Every structure is written in C-alpha cells, then in structure tokens.
Amino acid sequence: MKVLICGGGISGLIGGIVMARNPNISVEIYEAAPEFLPIGAGIGIWIRVWDLLAKLGLSDDLRSKTASATTPDPIDALIFRKSDQPEGVEFYTLVTNGPFITFHRHDFQQTLIQHLPSSCKMHHSKRLSTYTSLPNGKIRAYFEDGTQVTCDLLIGADGIRSTVRDTMLREKAAKHADVGNFEDAYQTLVANQPLWSGTMCYRGLIPMEKVKADIEKGNLTLEECHIQHMGKNANLIVYPIANGSMINFAAFYHQPDKVGSVFEGPWVQNVPKEELQAAYAGWEPSVQKWMKFIENPSRWAIHTIRPLDTYVADGVALIGDAAHAMVPHQGSGAGQGIEDAYFIATLLSNPAVTVRDIPKVLAVYDAVRRPFALDVCRRSHLNGSYYTMNNPDFKYRLAETQAGTPEQEKILKELGVAIKNNWEWAWTVPFDDNMEAGLVMLKRMMNNVGEQSAVVQDNGFVSAVL
Ligand SMILES: Cc1cc2nc3c(=O)[nH]c(=O)nc-3n(C[C@H](O)[C@H](O)[C@H](O)COP(=O)(O)OP(=O)(O)OC[C@H]3O[C@@H](n4cnc5c(N)ncnc54)[C@H](O)[C@@H]3O)c2cc1C
Ligand SMILES: *[C@@H]1O[C@H](CO)[C@@H](O)[C@H](O)[C@H]1NC(C)=O
Ligand SMILES: *[C@@H]1O[C@H](CO)[C@@H](O)[C@H](O)[C@H]1NC(C)=O
Ligand SMILES: *[C@@H]1O[C@H](CO)[C@@H](O)[C@H](O)[C@H]1NC(C)=O
C-alpha cells in the first residue's frame, strides 16, 4: 500500500511514525516548507494524548523537553482569577488528572522527526497544488514544482488552509452541481473557507531568567506562572515550557461583533505592545506585570473550520487542522490531530487490511473521529465564551453583581465548575475508547456484519458504537 501524507506538521508526522512501522505500507511525507525553523510558541497536551505518545515510544525523549510531570495523578493544573478589575479575585482551582504537559512547539516537532523511521522519507519544498482520482482508483498528487506522485491513499495533514481539503470540497461541490443540487454545492464551497473567530491571540516567550529576577525582587511569585486570568472579552494564560527555561504567554482578546467576519491582512503579524496593553487596560496588577516582559508580541487572528459533512473521499482523508481547526481554548487542537493520525494509521496497519479495504478504513475513521473532533471543537468554543465571560448563562448575572460580594463569588464558583465539566473529558476519557470502537467496527465491516452508528454517552460525549 502506498500512502502519501501531505504536510509534515504534528498530525502528518504521527501518521508517518505509525504507518512506517508496518513493512506492508510504503509512506512518504511531502512538506511545503524548505525547512522547519525554531520559531513558534508553546504547545500543551493532556494525559490522553501523552499515553498515546508513550505507546509509540516517544515518552523518554519528550520528557527531557518539559518540566511538567507526566503521571496521571490529580494535580492543581490552573488557578482561575477574575482579573478585569483593580483587585482580582481567585475563584477556582482546576484539578486535572495529570497536568497540561507543555513544550516549545519546535522541540516537540523535532522529537517527532527524530522518531520518524528511515523508511518514511520527508520531502521538503514540495507544495501540493491539486490531486485527481485515476480510473484505477489511485490518486495522483500534483506539486507546484511540476512533480507528480501516484498513491493508493492521500492523507491531507496540510493545516487550516489545506489544499487537499480545497480539492476535495471543490470536487464534492461539482458533483452536487452536476445533479442540480446547487444549495449543497454552495454550502460545500462555503465550508472550505476558514472563519475568523473574532479572537486575537497575542503570543510571546519570556526567558525564565527575567522572571526569576522579578521573583527574587519579590515582584512576582512562582504561583503566578500557572494562572488563567479571565474577564470581559479577554483571557490571559501563562505557563512554563522548554523544560522550564521559558514562560509561554498567550493573551486572548475577543471581539464578539467580529465573529465570522473576514479578517483583513496577514493572520500572524508582529504588533506594538501598546495594542496588547489597550486590550488589558484596567486589569489587575498581576496581569500588568506580565505585559512588561512582552516587547513585540506576535498577534494571531484565530481562524476555524466549520463542521464538515465528511473528512473523507475516495482514496483521500483529512486529518488535524485540515479537517477541524478549532479555537485553542481547550489546548486540544494538536492533540486531536495526533489522535486522528494514530487512529487512521492503526486501522491501516491491521494485518488483514489491504489496498482493497481502504474505503472501509476511511468510513470507520469518518464515523468515529468526526463526531468526536467536532465535539471538541464545540467544547473549545464554549470554553472561550466562559473565559471571556461572554457565556449568556453567566454574563448577565455577573453584570448584576459587585466585585467581592458573596453573590458574585457564588456565580464565579459556578463558572469554575461549568468550565471543568466542559473540559474534563481531556483528562478523564481515554483515547482507547475511540480506538477500540474503530477496530471493532472495521472488523465487522471486513466480515460484512453490523451497521455503525453514533450515540451520545452519559457525559455528553459522542462516540461510535455498533
Ligand atoms: C494560539 C494557539 C495556541 C494553541 N495551543 C495549543 C495547545 O496548547 N495544544 C494543542 O493541542 N493545540 C494547540 N493549538 C492548535 C495546534 O497548534 C494545531 O491544532 C496543530 O498545530 C495542527 O497541526 P497540523 O499538523 O494538523 O497542521 P499544521 O501544524 O498547520 O501543519 C500543516 C503542515 O502542512 C504544510 N503544508 C501546508 N500546505 C501544504 C501544501 N499545499 N503542500 C504541502 N505541505 C503543506 C505546512 O507547511 C505545515 O508544515 C494552538 C493553536 C493556536 C493558534
Ligand atoms: C531540565 O531542567 C532540569 C532542572 O532544571 C535539569 O536538571 C535538566 O538537565 C534539564 N534537562 C534538559 C534536557 O535540559
Ligand atoms: C513591579 O512590576 C510593576 C508592574 O510592571 C512595576 O510597575 C514595578 O515598578 C515593579 N517593581 C519592581 C520593584 O520592580
Ligand atoms: C503484510 O501482509 C501480509 C499479506 O497480507 C500479511 O500476511 C502480514 O501479516 C502483513 N504484515 C504486517 C506486519 O501487517
């Protein structure tokens, strides 16, 4: 079986690592970038994703790149503070099973690259321009430099502006239009366009040296390095990365009236710090203290992909951000891409699976992973509305109470619990549930028994069952 992975980001690399272990699969990665530069910011994963990486034998090397614990014991992961006032109030301690395990994104990606088996080549400077389906069921991929590659399966791991998705959705739209189904054709093309979430993220990395100097002066405490500050239309999160040698700073600013509008200009841009300061004017001193470390924050306009009807077409599958780019409010975008890649690669590696069975593998992938990833998108979005105090369940009630009063404390406590309930899947629901459902479903399909369906579990999570 010949598999071509388009995109060497975190999702694509995991796909390569798992598939290349099976001698029956020949897999190569085609990546647009000439090289991966040591830029970027922090990235974190939850224990369910860590367990999966450990299964792949990556834990020792990854552990040397993080100061986070990697055991599943309950831990005070984050303190929530309401900070959009002169004196902030701490209102909730988020206890999770295992911490948010944090890395410098470049360290994380390089570790994956080191674990790519030598049989899986990664070709750089190869930007996909389009693909076509051949009459024999194979896929031909076309690159901007004129090269063409034929494969049995094309995996689109090419991020939020995915070319694979673009080609797939255009083909689907054309098929709808061919039978006069113009509404569906239109909706399919609309779904291809990334949507601005109305949120900006100002990111920066702060050397721990500088922070230490302030801690020694008594102007900052170590506890302040693990806090989520929340308030009207904004939230700020800080956490250590790169084995504790840097602090990752991510300050979100949300404009409710801009949700879904078209963002003009580059999505990532360096901006003067005044813009960031303006977003947090009037917030408590502990927030102001972080601002002074940030000189030229990079400003990210956070975009998402609308829920797609399907992640697959004949011989093609979308994984990671290409399929479901989401707002980053549950620290789970990359984790979901890792799970997609591991899931599809594990099904393909089943000894009984041959090229003939690819459509079944894709059907199972779509049936199990799409509802799950979409639910994570929804939860992340909800999380964002909580952090920025825009959720209608709390917004109006909070507005009617005064800071520091027992009434407000009670509402904030409820808010903390709502955030936890929305998020705890990340440290309580194991990925194995998904994987097992997929393996059983595939086995049934290969034996031509049973129909798949999706159910909503007690915890509100959608999973596939038979
Ligand atoms: C502010 C912010 C904070 C975040 N924090 C977290 C976090 O803490 N935890 C977490 O899990 N997630 C987080 N995320 C989300 C996470 O960064 C993404 O979900 C993840 O990087 C997606 O990985 P990917 O491999 O699917 O796509 P990408 O990382 O976008 O990789 C796509 C790759 O494909 C290549 N490519 C693109 N087009 C082509 C083409 N035509 N041909 C060939 N190659 C191509 C690109 O060069 C790139 O290397 C955050 C996101 C943001 C914006
Ligand atoms: C990580 O930090 C610890 C404690 O500061 C140090 O002992 C260890 O050598 C560091 N690991 C690496 C790989 O830098
Ligand atoms: C502490 O930080 C605040 C906020 O940045 C700053 O105004 C103040 O001068 C600092 N104090 C000391 C002693 O560094
Ligand atoms: C490779 O394929 C052969 C023939 O289908 C099969 O017998 C064998 O178990 C496969 N090997 C692996 C590692 O899946």
Side-chain angles (χ1 to χ4, degrees), residues 387-407:
Y387 300 156
T388 53
M389 313 242 163
N390 272 314
N391 186 285
D393 290 347
F394 297 95
K395 181 177 172 176
Y396 304 107
R397 287 161 64 208
L398 275 174
E400 283 166 9
T401 55
Q402 296 298 316
T405 58
E407 291 75 33

PDB file of all heavy atoms in Angstrom, residues 387-407:
ATOM      1  N   TYR A 387     -14.324  31.817  29.356  1.00  0.00           N
ATOM      2  CA  TYR A 387     -13.132  32.582  29.748  1.00  0.00           C
ATOM      3  C   TYR A 387     -13.312  34.058  29.588  1.00  0.00           C
ATOM      4  O   TYR A 387     -12.738  34.843  30.313  1.00  0.00           O
ATOM      5  CB  TYR A 387     -11.928  32.223  28.874  1.00  0.00           C
ATOM      6  CG  TYR A 387     -11.561  30.809  28.965  1.00  0.00           C
ATOM      7  CD1 TYR A 387     -10.875  30.179  27.946  1.00  0.00           C
ATOM      8  CD2 TYR A 387     -11.906  30.089  30.076  1.00  0.00           C
ATOM      9  CE1 TYR A 387     -10.556  28.862  28.040  1.00  0.00           C
ATOM     10  CE2 TYR A 387     -11.590  28.768  30.155  1.00  0.00           C
ATOM     11  CZ  TYR A 387     -10.921  28.152  29.136  1.00  0.00           C
ATOM     12  OH  TYR A 387     -10.606  26.857  29.209  1.00  0.00           O
ATOM     13  N   THR A 388     -14.022  34.415  28.513  1.00  0.00           N
ATOM     14  CA  THR A 388     -14.146  35.838  28.236  1.00  0.00           C
ATOM     15  C   THR A 388     -15.448  36.382  28.817  1.00  0.00           C
ATOM     16  O   THR A 388     -15.870  37.468  28.487  1.00  0.00           O
ATOM     17  CB  THR A 388     -14.090  36.090  26.716  1.00  0.00           C
ATOM     18  OG1 THR A 388     -15.076  35.255  26.089  1.00  0.00           O
ATOM     19  CG2 THR A 388     -12.735  35.731  26.157  1.00  0.00           C
ATOM     20  N   MET A 389     -16.051  35.576  29.687  1.00  0.00           N
ATOM     21  CA  MET A 389     -17.255  35.981  30.419  1.00  0.00           C
ATOM     22  C   MET A 389     -18.353  36.435  29.469  1.00  0.00           C
ATOM     23  O   MET A 389     -19.107  37.357  29.756  1.00  0.00           O
ATOM     24  CB  MET A 389     -16.924  37.080  31.442  1.00  0.00           C
ATOM     25  CG  MET A 389     -15.691  36.743  32.273  1.00  0.00           C
ATOM     26  SD  MET A 389     -16.025  36.579  34.027  1.00  0.00           S
ATOM     27  CE  MET A 389     -14.558  35.710  34.606  1.00  0.00           C
ATOM     28  N   ASN A 390     -18.426  35.758  28.325  1.00  0.00           N
ATOM     29  CA  ASN A 390     -19.456  36.082  27.343  1.00  0.00           C
ATOM     30  C   ASN A 390     -20.562  35.048  27.303  1.00  0.00           C
ATOM     31  O   ASN A 390     -21.502  35.197  26.527  1.00  0.00           O
ATOM     32  CB  ASN A 390     -18.828  36.178  25.945  1.00  0.00           C
ATOM     33  CG  ASN A 390     -18.333  37.570  25.661  1.00  0.00           C
ATOM     34  OD1 ASN A 390     -19.031  38.542  25.907  1.00  0.00           O
ATOM     35  ND2 ASN A 390     -17.120  37.682  25.166  1.00  0.00           N
ATOM     36  N   ASN A 391     -20.437  33.981  28.089  1.00  0.00           N
ATOM     37  CA  ASN A 391     -21.473  32.956  28.039  1.00  0.00           C
ATOM     38  C   ASN A 391     -22.758  33.505  28.676  1.00  0.00           C
ATOM     39  O   ASN A 391     -22.723  33.997  29.806  1.00  0.00           O
ATOM     40  CB  ASN A 391     -20.985  31.700  28.766  1.00  0.00           C
ATOM     41  CG  ASN A 391     -21.962  30.559  28.610  1.00  0.00           C
ATOM     42  OD1 ASN A 391     -23.007  30.557  29.246  1.00  0.00           O
ATOM     43  ND2 ASN A 391     -21.643  29.629  27.745  1.00  0.00           N
ATOM     44  N   PRO A 392     -23.883  33.408  27.971  1.00  0.00           N
ATOM     45  CA  PRO A 392     -25.119  34.029  28.477  1.00  0.00           C
ATOM     46  C   PRO A 392     -25.580  33.481  29.833  1.00  0.00           C
ATOM     47  O   PRO A 392     -26.271  34.183  30.562  1.00  0.00           O
ATOM     48  CB  PRO A 392     -26.161  33.733  27.388  1.00  0.00           C
ATOM     49  CG  PRO A 392     -25.523  32.804  26.435  1.00  0.00           C
ATOM     50  CD  PRO A 392     -24.055  32.827  26.634  1.00  0.00           C
ATOM     51  N   ASP A 393     -25.151  32.231  30.157  1.00  0.00           N
ATOM     52  CA  ASP A 393     -25.535  31.697  31.470  1.00  0.00           C
ATOM     53  C   ASP A 393     -24.911  32.507  32.614  1.00  0.00           C
ATOM     54  O   ASP A 393     -25.373  32.438  33.751  1.00  0.00           O
ATOM     55  CB  ASP A 393     -25.067  30.238  31.631  1.00  0.00           C
ATOM     56  CG  ASP A 393     -25.866  29.298  30.741  1.00  0.00           C
ATOM     57  OD1 ASP A 393     -26.900  29.742  30.213  1.00  0.00           O
ATOM     58  OD2 ASP A 393     -25.446  28.140  30.582  1.00  0.00           O
ATOM     59  N   PHE A 394     -23.836  33.230  32.320  1.00  0.00           N
ATOM     60  CA  PHE A 394     -23.126  33.935  33.389  1.00  0.00           C
ATOM     61  C   PHE A 394     -23.031  35.442  33.169  1.00  0.00           C
ATOM     62  O   PHE A 394     -23.002  36.216  34.108  1.00  0.00           O
ATOM     63  CB  PHE A 394     -21.703  33.354  33.533  1.00  0.00           C
ATOM     64  CG  PHE A 394     -21.724  31.912  33.936  1.00  0.00           C
ATOM     65  CD1 PHE A 394     -21.642  30.903  32.985  1.00  0.00           C
ATOM     66  CD2 PHE A 394     -21.880  31.558  35.266  1.00  0.00           C
ATOM     67  CE1 PHE A 394     -21.705  29.565  33.367  1.00  0.00           C
ATOM     68  CE2 PHE A 394     -21.938  30.221  35.655  1.00  0.00           C
ATOM     69  CZ  PHE A 394     -21.850  29.226  34.707  1.00  0.00           C
ATOM     70  N   LYS A 395     -22.954  35.825  31.891  1.00  0.00           N
ATOM     71  CA  LYS A 395     -22.695  37.223  31.528  1.00  0.00           C
ATOM     72  C   LYS A 395     -23.633  38.206  32.257  1.00  0.00           C
ATOM     73  O   LYS A 395     -23.189  39.139  32.913  1.00  0.00           O
ATOM     74  CB  LYS A 395     -22.871  37.343  30.016  1.00  0.00           C
ATOM     75  CG  LYS A 395     -22.627  38.687  29.432  1.00  0.00           C
ATOM     76  CD  LYS A 395     -22.775  38.587  27.914  1.00  0.00           C
ATOM     77  CE  LYS A 395     -22.735  39.949  27.281  1.00  0.00           C
ATOM     78  NZ  LYS A 395     -22.776  39.857  25.821  1.00  0.00           N
ATOM     79  N   TYR A 396     -24.938  37.945  32.138  1.00  0.00           N
ATOM     80  CA  TYR A 396     -25.903  38.917  32.670  1.00  0.00           C
ATOM     81  C   TYR A 396     -25.936  38.888  34.191  1.00  0.00           C
ATOM     82  O   TYR A 396     -26.021  39.921  34.845  1.00  0.00           O
ATOM     83  CB  TYR A 396     -27.280  38.661  32.053  1.00  0.00           C
ATOM     84  CG  TYR A 396     -27.228  38.697  30.551  1.00  0.00           C
ATOM     85  CD1 TYR A 396     -27.331  37.539  29.787  1.00  0.00           C
ATOM     86  CD2 TYR A 396     -26.999  39.909  29.899  1.00  0.00           C
ATOM     87  CE1 TYR A 396     -27.223  37.584  28.407  1.00  0.00           C
ATOM     88  CE2 TYR A 396     -26.893  39.962  28.511  1.00  0.00           C
ATOM     89  CZ  TYR A 396     -27.007  38.781  27.768  1.00  0.00           C
ATOM     90  OH  TYR A 396     -26.892  38.832  26.410  1.00  0.00           O
ATOM     91  N   ARG A 397     -25.828  37.675  34.740  1.00  0.00           N
ATOM     92  CA  ARG A 397     -25.847  37.568  36.204  1.00  0.00           C
ATOM     93  C   ARG A 397     -24.607  38.242  36.796  1.00  0.00           C
ATOM     94  O   ARG A 397     -24.693  38.913  37.823  1.00  0.00           O
ATOM     95  CB  ARG A 397     -25.918  36.102  36.616  1.00  0.00           C
ATOM     96  CG  ARG A 397     -27.295  35.496  36.352  1.00  0.00           C
ATOM     97  CD  ARG A 397     -27.239  33.985  36.313  1.00  0.00           C
ATOM     98  NE  ARG A 397     -26.858  33.422  37.591  1.00  0.00           N
ATOM     99  CZ  ARG A 397     -26.224  32.250  37.741  1.00  0.00           C
ATOM    100  NH1 ARG A 397     -25.899  31.541  36.674  1.00  0.00           N
ATOM    101  NH2 ARG A 397     -25.913  31.811  38.930  1.00  0.00           N
ATOM    102  N   LEU A 398     -23.460  38.065  36.148  1.00  0.00           N
ATOM    103  CA  LEU A 398     -22.245  38.704  36.666  1.00  0.00           C
ATOM    104  C   LEU A 398     -22.361  40.217  36.615  1.00  0.00           C
ATOM    105  O   LEU A 398     -21.937  40.931  37.525  1.00  0.00           O
ATOM    106  CB  LEU A 398     -21.013  38.264  35.864  1.00  0.00           C
ATOM    107  CG  LEU A 398     -20.371  36.945  36.302  1.00  0.00           C
ATOM    108  CD1 LEU A 398     -19.252  36.567  35.333  1.00  0.00           C
ATOM    109  CD2 LEU A 398     -19.822  37.046  37.725  1.00  0.00           C
ATOM    110  N   ALA A 399     -22.973  40.709  35.540  1.00  0.00           N
ATOM    111  CA  ALA A 399     -23.096  42.150  35.348  1.00  0.00           C
ATOM    112  C   ALA A 399     -23.943  42.790  36.451  1.00  0.00           C
ATOM    113  O   ALA A 399     -23.804  43.967  36.762  1.00  0.00           O
ATOM    114  CB  ALA A 399     -23.696  42.453  33.977  1.00  0.00           C
ATOM    115  N   GLU A 400     -24.834  41.964  37.056  1.00  0.00           N
ATOM    116  CA  GLU A 400     -25.718  42.500  38.085  1.00  0.00           C
ATOM    117  C   GLU A 400     -25.113  42.478  39.484  1.00  0.00           C
ATOM    118  O   GLU A 400     -25.737  42.910  40.432  1.00  0.00           O
ATOM    119  CB  GLU A 400     -27.032  41.681  38.102  1.00  0.00           C
ATOM    120  CG  GLU A 400     -27.956  42.041  36.953  1.00  0.00           C
ATOM    121  CD  GLU A 400     -29.076  41.015  36.785  1.00  0.00           C
ATOM    122  OE1 GLU A 400     -29.224  40.142  37.653  1.00  0.00           O
ATOM    123  OE2 GLU A 400     -29.772  41.109  35.764  1.00  0.00           O
ATOM    124  N   THR A 401     -23.904  41.901  39.613  1.00  0.00           N
ATOM    125  CA  THR A 401     -23.312  41.810  40.955  1.00  0.00           C
ATOM    126  C   THR A 401     -22.042  42.655  41.044  1.00  0.00           C
ATOM    127  O   THR A 401     -21.426  42.989  40.037  1.00  0.00           O
ATOM    128  CB  THR A 401     -22.933  40.355  41.308  1.00  0.00           C
ATOM    129  OG1 THR A 401     -22.068  39.856  40.282  1.00  0.00           O
ATOM    130  CG2 THR A 401     -24.160  39.477  41.414  1.00  0.00           C
ATOM    131  N   GLN A 402     -21.681  42.972  42.279  1.00  0.00           N
ATOM    132  CA  GLN A 402     -20.480  43.778  42.536  1.00  0.00           C
ATOM    133  C   GLN A 402     -19.296  42.866  42.826  1.00  0.00           C
ATOM    134  O   GLN A 402     -19.464  41.809  43.449  1.00  0.00           O
ATOM    135  CB  GLN A 402     -20.716  44.660  43.778  1.00  0.00           C
ATOM    136  CG  GLN A 402     -21.817  45.687  43.612  1.00  0.00           C
ATOM    137  CD  GLN A 402     -21.505  46.680  42.510  1.00  0.00           C
ATOM    138  OE1 GLN A 402     -20.365  47.166  42.417  1.00  0.00           O
ATOM    139  NE2 GLN A 402     -22.475  46.974  41.664  1.00  0.00           N
ATOM    140  N   ALA A 403     -18.095  43.322  42.425  1.00  0.00           N
ATOM    141  CA  ALA A 403     -16.873  42.571  42.719  1.00  0.00           C
ATOM    142  C   ALA A 403     -16.738  42.364  44.220  1.00  0.00           C
ATOM    143  O   ALA A 403     -17.014  43.277  45.003  1.00  0.00           O
ATOM    144  CB  ALA A 403     -15.662  43.326  42.179  1.00  0.00           C
ATOM    145  N   GLY A 404     -16.332  41.162  44.601  1.00  0.00           N
ATOM    146  CA  GLY A 404     -16.043  40.896  46.006  1.00  0.00           C
ATOM    147  C   GLY A 404     -17.242  40.525  46.861  1.00  0.00           C
ATOM    148  O   GLY A 404     -17.081  40.169  48.026  1.00  0.00           O
ATOM    149  N   THR A 405     -18.458  40.611  46.299  1.00  0.00           N
ATOM    150  CA  THR A 405     -19.627  40.266  47.105  1.00  0.00           C
ATOM    151  C   THR A 405     -19.847  38.754  47.090  1.00  0.00           C
ATOM    152  O   THR A 405     -19.445  38.072  46.152  1.00  0.00           O
ATOM    153  CB  THR A 405     -20.901  40.948  46.555  1.00  0.00           C
ATOM    154  OG1 THR A 405     -21.076  40.520  45.192  1.00  0.00           O
ATOM    155  CG2 THR A 405     -20.779  42.463  46.583  1.00  0.00           C
ATOM    156  N   PRO A 406     -20.529  38.232  48.123  1.00  0.00           N
ATOM    157  CA  PRO A 406     -20.808  36.791  48.151  1.00  0.00           C
ATOM    158  C   PRO A 406     -21.624  36.348  46.937  1.00  0.00           C
ATOM    159  O   PRO A 406     -21.432  35.253  46.425  1.00  0.00           O
ATOM    160  CB  PRO A 406     -21.635  36.604  49.438  1.00  0.00           C
ATOM    161  CG  PRO A 406     -21.368  37.806  50.274  1.00  0.00           C
ATOM    162  CD  PRO A 406     -21.008  38.920  49.350  1.00  0.00           C
ATOM    163  N   GLU A 407     -22.510  37.216  46.429  1.00  0.00           N
ATOM    164  CA  GLU A 407     -23.328  36.869  45.255  1.00  0.00           C
ATOM    165  C   GLU A 407     -22.405  36.586  44.053  1.00  0.00           C
ATOM    166  O   GLU A 407     -22.561  35.609  43.343  1.00  0.00           O
ATOM    167  CB  GLU A 407     -24.293  38.004  44.877  1.00  0.00           C
ATOM    168  CG  GLU A 407     -25.431  38.249  45.864  1.00  0.00           C
ATOM    169  CD  GLU A 407     -24.958  38.974  47.128  1.00  0.00           C
ATOM    170  OE1 GLU A 407     -24.022  39.795  47.028  1.00  0.00           O
ATOM    171  OE2 GLU A 407     -25.507  38.687  48.215  1.00  0.00           O
TER     172      GLU A 407
END
